[in-house]
Amino acid sequence: MPRISCCPPLLNLGIFGGLGEYKAEFFVMFVLNVLTEYLSQVARALNKIKLIAGISIISSTIMGGAAAVFIAVLDWGVQGYWGSLIIGYGFSVFCYLFPGKIYLQIQLHLRDSGQLFIISKKMLRYCLPLVPDALLWWMSTSINRFFITGMLGVAATGLFAAAGKIPNILAAAYGLFSRAWQLSAYQEYGSKEAAHFFGTVFKSLNAVLTVCISALIILSPMLASILFQRQFYSAWTLAPLLLVAVYFSQLSSFYSTVYAASMRTSLIMKTTVVGAILCAGLTWLLIPKLGLQGASLALTVSNATVFGVRVIMARTIMKIPIDSFFFTIGALLLSIQAVSASFQVRGNTYLSLCIFFIIAVLAFIALRSDMKILLQRIRLPKK
């Protein structure tokens, strides 16, 4: 933690857009945010799932209420924004430590330094590859914005960022599933039926994702009228391809759990490197020809490639059975629907409705036989 104190001066750099004026606020918020995330992981390890959910809901409410009071009522501006974040994260840290009684897990002395060294070595071997992976994953999903700014201008970057609001709806929903899935994955890994269980979850996840994404593509114009400001409404045409990019990103995230459960996190980093390089190269090549749609297409192709590489490499760890027919048909139909909507092909609305109907029927068939199994196997701990 002391090393973080060396980072705030970097905020004076121009690329951070004047964030250097709020170095102290940023530092306090960052430390509290890190502690909140760390303590939530400890609570998850202790099976205190209800505690995590409760603190998340209450802290978000406090954060939003504080922001409304500080910014709208007291007119504190940016200072009020930072203050709301600090209060929200500070509340989370306090609740995890004391009402959640996680402070009882803190030990300030070393009982067995040798055993501690062995455990620390295993933990570092597991988590160190995830640090550059997180950076590279951010690059692969955000580096296109640097190309957009440099090649098309700041206004185009604003359109691209606005278009991302629609895929973010699905990403937020997947985050809820991901937390429950990770717990089940770690518990099931190593069992005799692990491969079949992972395959069942993947098939169900893929079915739900294809239906949701197909529906969101159809609803993109309407959602844009609600979420976007008037001058950004035209950005909705970027959303369909970005939704398909999120589709492959979330399937890739599913497979990253396989590597994490097997303690082979270095493979996650390797696959992310492939995606980051491919995204940068394709973005540079496609923007001059297709504009913002080129950036969306580059992200989609790179995420699809990462998913494909992870599927292939995962076979050395676990042979997960995949419903190749439904996955291939679903991915192909989503791609056709996204391209026709993004490039405004004549009759794309009717085509999208037909594709949605086909995908919904196929998803129902795929889910019908496995839903009972999933409801029995994936469940939150009672505690």
Side-chain angles (χ1 to χ4, degrees):
M1 191 65 72
R3 297 181 182 179
I4 300 175
S5 61
C6 301
C7 298
L10 297 177
L11 300 178
N12 292 322
L13 298 176
I15 59 174
F16 292 104
L19 194 57
E21 298 180 15
Y22 309 99
K23 290 191 288 292
E25 293 88 343
F26 173 83
F27 178 75
V28 175
M29 183 276 298
F30 180 80
V31 171
L32 291 174
N33 185 22
V34 170
L35 288 174
T36 298
E37 184 62 28
Y38 169 74
L39 292 172
S40 71
Q41 296 298 329
V42 175
R44 183 173 289 109
L46 297 173
N47 277 341
K48 296 188 176 185
I49 307 302
K50 291 183 179 180
L51 176 68
I52 298 173
I55 290 177
S56 297
I57 293 172
I58 298 174
S59 64
S60 297
T61 303
I62 291 176
M63 201 177 294
V69 173
F70 293 161
I71 298 174
V73 179
L74 300 178
D75 196 23
W76 287 359
V78 178
Q79 293 284 1
Y81 169 76
W82 288 113
S84 65
L85 293 179
I86 291 172
I87 290 176
Y89 289 131
F91 172 82
S92 298
V93 172
F94 174 81
C95 288
Y96 277 123
L97 286 175
F98 299 105
K101 298 182 179 180
I102 291 181
Y103 75 92
L104 297 175
Q105 307 297 322
I106 299 175
Q107 296 182 1
L108 300 179
H109 60 283
L110 302 180
R111 295 181 177 179
D112 188 344
S113 58
Q115 184 67 19
L116 180 63
F117 175 77
I118 295 174
I119 295 175
S120 299
K121 186 177 180 180
K122 290 181 179 180
M123 291 177 65
L124 287 173
R125 188 182 304 146
Y126 173 83
C127 68
L128 280 181
L130 297 178
V131 177
D133 173 73
L135 178 62
L136 289 167
W137 188 254
W138 171 82
M139 288 178 59
S140 67
T141 55
S142 303
I143 197 170
N144 44 23
R145 299 189 184 185
F146 293 100
F147 283 99
I148 293 170
T149 302
M151 302 171 76
L152 300 177
V154 177
T157 306
L159 288 172
F160 192 81
K165 291 183 179 180
I166 296 177
N168 285 344
I169 297 173
L170 190 64
Y174 178 80
L176 299 176
F177 160 81
S178 178
R179 293 187 176 185
W181 160 239
Q182 288 177 4
L183 287 173
S184 297
Y186 290 125
Q187 292 170 357
E188 293 290 335
Y189 183 80
S191 65
K192 295 181 179 179
E193 299 180 356
H196 180 264
F197 175 64
F198 275 61
T200 301
V201 176
F202 177 84
K203 183 169 68 171
S204 301
L205 173 65
N206 182 44
V208 172
L209 284 177
T210 50
V211 172
C212 291
I213 289 174
S214 181
L216 286 173
I217 291 175
I218 296 172
L219 297 174
S220 289
M222 183 186 71
L223 292 173
S225 65
I226 299 173
L227 299 174
F228 301 173
Q229 296 180 8
R230 184 175 301 177
Q231 62 268 33
F232 294 117
Y233 177 77
S234 61
W236 80 263
T237 56
L238 302 173
L241 280 175
L242 291 177
L243 281 166
V244 178
V246 169
Y247 166 72
F248 285 112
S249 173
Q250 292 173 349
L251 293 183
S252 298
S253 177
F254 173 88
Y255 264 86
S256 69
T257 308
V258 178
Y259 299 117
S262 63
M263 305 293 286
R264 298 178 65 179
T265 52
S266 61
L267 295 178
I268 301 177
M269 183 186 68
K270 292 177 182 178
T271 56
T272 305
V273 169
V274 174
I277 295 174
L278 186 61
C279 183
L282 288 177
T283 302
W284 179 71
L285 289 173
L286 294 177
I287 284 182
K289 298 180 181 180
L290 299 175
L292 287 174
Q293 296 292 4
S296 301
L297 184 60
L299 182 60
T300 303
V301 173
S302 64
N303 285 356
T305 303
V306 171
F307 168 68
V309 173
R310 286 186 178 179
V311 170
I312 295 173
M313 295 179 68
R315 292 174 181 171
T316 62
I317 302 172
M318 179 189 299
K319 294 183 179 180
I320 302 175
I322 296 178
D323 187 345
S324 300
F325 173 78
F326 177 77
F327 170 75
T328 304
I329 296 298
L332 181 61
L333 289 175
L334 282 180
S335 300
I336 294 172
Q337 183 182 6
V339 170
S340 65
S342 293
F343 292 95
Q344 292 290 278
V345 176
R346 186 176 180 181
N348 69 85
T349 302
Y350 298 105
L351 178 61
S352 290
L353 289 172
C354 292
I355 289 176
F356 174 77
F357 176 77
I358 295 172
I359 287 177
V361 171
L362 292 175
F364 175 78
I365 296 173
L367 286 173
R368 185 176 57 179
S369 60
D370 296 320
M371 187 55 67
K372 292 182 179 180
I373 299 175
L374 284 177
L375 291 176
Q376 293 173 355
R377 300 289 291 276
I378 295 186
R379 59 183 183 273
L380 294 176
K382 297 180 179 180
K383 190 172 180 178

